[in-house]
Amino acid sequence: MTVADGAHYDSDRVTINADSPNVAPNADAGHDQNALTGSVVNLTGSNSYDPDSGPSPLSYVWSFDSLPLTSALSDSDIVNNNQANATFTPDVEGTYLVKLTVSDSDLSDEAIIRIESYSSDVDRKSTRLNSSHTDISRMPSSA
């Protein structure tokens, strides 16, 4: 770059580095599920991704957003709750809302799935016929 005022001039080099901004990852907790009380539920977050692959590899945290009133479960009952894929076992009938949070160490995203737990397969089939499907809730947020 050269600057001049008519009588004097001066030159210098200027370097401009432009970095792309970090883009938030996309959490995908899979589909809503029906399950038998006491049976293992598989939670699948492996379809989550980071469009710009950084600044760090994705980290995962599964947690309960809501539990049936009489459930004794806590987040620590989710096996492998810091992995893309995890499991838990419903302890009572009812609705479990399970949240997956994925982070690239700078930004994060969340997805919530609904697990309906039934005491028998007959209860599950009759309730499913009388209810509508619940879509995955997506709530972007920053870390």
Side-chain angles (χ1 to χ4, degrees), residues 32-48:
D32 294 344
Q33 301 179 46
N34 293 317
L36 292 174
T37 303
S39 297
V40 173
V41 173
N42 293 305
L43 304 171
T44 306
S46 56
N47 286 330
S48 301

Side-chain angles (χ1 to χ4, degrees), residues 69-83:
L69 187 61
T70 58
S71 176
L73 295 182
S74 68
D75 291 347
S76 64
D77 292 306
I78 300 174
V79 178
N80 295 323
N81 71 338
N82 63 347
Q83 302 295 316

